[in-house]
Amino acid sequence: MSAAQWYARRGWPVHPLAAGRKTPVANCRQCREHVHPPAACPCLRAGRWCHSFHAATLNQERIQQWWGSHPEFGIGVSCGPAGLVVVDIDAHGAEPPTRDRILPGIPIGEQVDLTGLANGFHTLAVLAALRGQRSPAEDTTTLRVRTPSGGLHVWYRAAANRRWLSSVGSSPGRALAWQVDIRAHGSYIIAPGTTTQQGSYTPLGETREPAALPLWLAQELDRTGHLPAPSIPAPRPVPPRAQQAVLAAGGGRAERTLAAVLAPVEACGQVAEGAGFSDTLNRAAYTLGGLVAAGRLTQAEAEQALKDTAAAARPGQEPRIEQIIRSGLAAGLTKPLHARGRRS
């Protein structure tokens, strides 16, 4: 109980785990038999622990009630509300997947010898080496927790209130690396000191505080789709400079028009990060969507031009790029952009 109260004072909402297990305490009978969304559950309002991390709390009296009557309960921390991003490195003995799923979005050619690659420690080390960085598994500046199965939880603080999403490393969809899970919004992490039937979750080294999420790792999470779609900038009207360039090009001058609209996106490639890339690409997609709606080029031409230019500026961010292009084009298609002398 004292540990759960201490975590709550840190601003980390906690919820109970079943005795000796790493799973949450079971729902009440009513919740088990009648499926319903957690937000609509009266149990949460009544201070009961149904629905896993949705019941997580900072309320000291509630924590005293839960663990005071059940000191055998373990402790789960709801990562999203706690502002945490935890890299969960697995060490399960398993056959590696196909090469395109070892590091999603990063091709691994047949000439690369993968002999010995067997777990998440290896895949994360490869990703870090490709970026010229130290693997989070070796990051002594932040809290690291050894798991009973031989894995490792590396705790970081989310910066700038970014709502990072969780993922499973074996997923064919959003994933950072094979056997590397991400615990953030929508999941929980087992708190240090919790003991299960398999063993204890034990801090490694001397550091007990989560450090800020490293920039390079944040960029990798962004690249692999760990930010929700609503973070894509809202479509903006065509900026005056771009609109003037499009109108000046006139009908039938597709190459000049494309070059004028895509030039700001191309310019983003001259700096490693930043430069408002997402917003710049969104504006270009919005503009080309307007041209497609006006019949001045095809949607296939617009999409291909945007993808090629954006991928050259920000290689390895294809999933994010496609999201932004879809959003901008869809908005632009509702606003035809005609040349001078023509009407919509």
Side-chain angles (χ1 to χ4, degrees), residues 76-167:
V77 174
S78 181
C79 295
L84 296 170
V85 177
V86 181
V87 182
D88 181 355
I89 309 170
D90 292 331
H92 305 314
E95 193 71 22
T98 56
R99 290 172 177 260
D100 61 319
R101 290 178 57 189
I102 292 176
L103 295 176
I106 299 177
I108 300 178
E110 293 295 332
Q111 73 278 8
V112 178
D113 185 3
L114 297 180
T115 302
L117 188 143
N119 56 50
F121 288 95
H122 299 155
T123 57
L124 194 57
V126 171
L127 177 62
L130 287 173
R131 304 307 186 215
Q133 303 291 335
R134 177 175 55 180
S135 171
E138 301 173 355
D139 187 354
T140 59
T141 69
T142 196
L143 172 62
R144 295 174 298 160
V145 179
R146 181 69 68 184
T147 73
S149 64
L152 191 68
H153 294 167
V154 186
W155 293 49
Y156 289 113
R157 300 192 316 272
N161 295 318
R162 305 190 84 178
R163 188 183 173 88
W164 298 108
L165 300 176
S166 301
S167 69

Side-chain angles (χ1 to χ4, degrees), residues 68-83:
S69 57
H70 293 279
E72 72 278 10
F73 282 170
I75 305 170
V77 174
S78 181
C79 295

Side-chain angles (χ1 to χ4, degrees), residues 176-263:
L176 179 67
W178 177 61
Q179 286 210 20
V180 178
D181 301 339
I182 299 299
R183 309 293 182 183
H185 277 276
S187 64
Y188 66 94
I189 194 69
I190 299 173
T194 294
T195 298
T196 67
Q197 295 173 349
Q198 288 71 41
S200 297
Y201 288 75
T202 308
L204 184 65
E206 302 297 325
T207 306
R208 296 294 182 268
E209 294 289 331
L213 182 67
L215 177 59
W216 79 269
L217 191 53
Q219 291 169 350
E220 290 302 308
L221 291 175
D222 190 357
R223 177 184 65 81
T224 50
H226 287 80
L227 283 177
S231 65
I232 295 174
R236 298 186 181 184
V238 181
R241 182 180 299 177
Q243 187 170 17
Q244 291 169 7
V246 171
L247 294 177
R253 300 179 182 178
E255 291 185 4
R256 287 182 55 190
T257 302
L258 284 172
V261 176
L262 296 174

